[in-house]
Amino acid sequence: MLHACIPSATEGTVLAQITYAYFEKVDMRTGKITQVEDFPKDRRPAYKLWTHSGTLGTKKSSAQITRLYRKDDLIGKLIIAVVNFPPRRIADFESEVLVLGVVLANNEVVLVQPDCDVPLGERAL
């Protein structure tokens, strides 16, 4: 369950500018969380997530979202994920996508998600 959020420590900070063509190289797709497990081997509290993104199939991700979300609340939740990063090994788990979230000042992460039902696997911009 999502708790009240706090202001960001990065307020007013902007990274270097990029072109739209560069941004278009980041492939962000809609997905739905289908399975969640605890991930005690990660350095910080995290969950192992399995997300389904339509024709892209099911992909795995590690997400440090344990402070704001319970496992049962995550099943069926729509998400946005970067799907064209190379796989990354985290402890004994291979993370295939990066589920997007907003990082708050205390390092809590709030998931970025569509606010209505959308087809799975659709591109986000």
Side-chain angles (χ1 to χ4, degrees):
M1 172 169 257
L2 186 61
H3 303 285
C5 298
I6 61 171
S8 171
T10 59
E11 186 175 322
T13 304
V14 177
L15 299 176
Q17 286 189 346
I18 61 173
T19 64
Y20 189 77
Y22 188 86
F23 171 74
E24 283 185 309
K25 294 177 183 179
V26 180
D27 192 359
M28 296 176 287
R29 301 292 182 116
T30 59
K32 183 180 285 191
I33 298 172
T34 58
Q35 182 180 340
V36 182
E37 293 180 6
D38 290 321
F39 192 9
K41 291 187 178 181
D42 199 341
R43 293 176 306 177
R44 289 182 264 168
Y47 292 133
K48 293 178 183 179
L49 303 179
W50 283 259
T51 63
H52 185 71
S53 293
T55 59
L56 298 176
T58 299
K59 303 289 183 182
K60 299 178 292 186
S61 184
S62 172
Q64 296 171 350
I65 57 175
T66 60
R67 292 167 75 184
L68 295 180
Y69 300 93
R70 294 186 313 232
K71 289 186 294 188
D72 292 343
D73 293 333
L74 290 168
I75 302 296
K77 190 171 287 293
L78 294 173
I79 53 91
I80 305 291
V82 176
V83 299
N84 64 335
F85 282 145
R88 181 175 175 203
R89 170 110 13 231
I90 302 170
D92 62 347
F93 186 71
E94 187 171 275
S95 184
E96 302 171 292
V97 298
L98 174 66
V99 174
L100 297 180
V102 177
V103 181
L104 304 176
N106 61 357
N107 288 323
E108 290 180 341
V109 178
V110 177
L111 291 173
V112 173
Q113 55 193 159
D115 63 359
C116 63
D117 283 339
V118 294
L120 301 180
E122 292 298 313
R123 185 128 193 247
L125 293 176

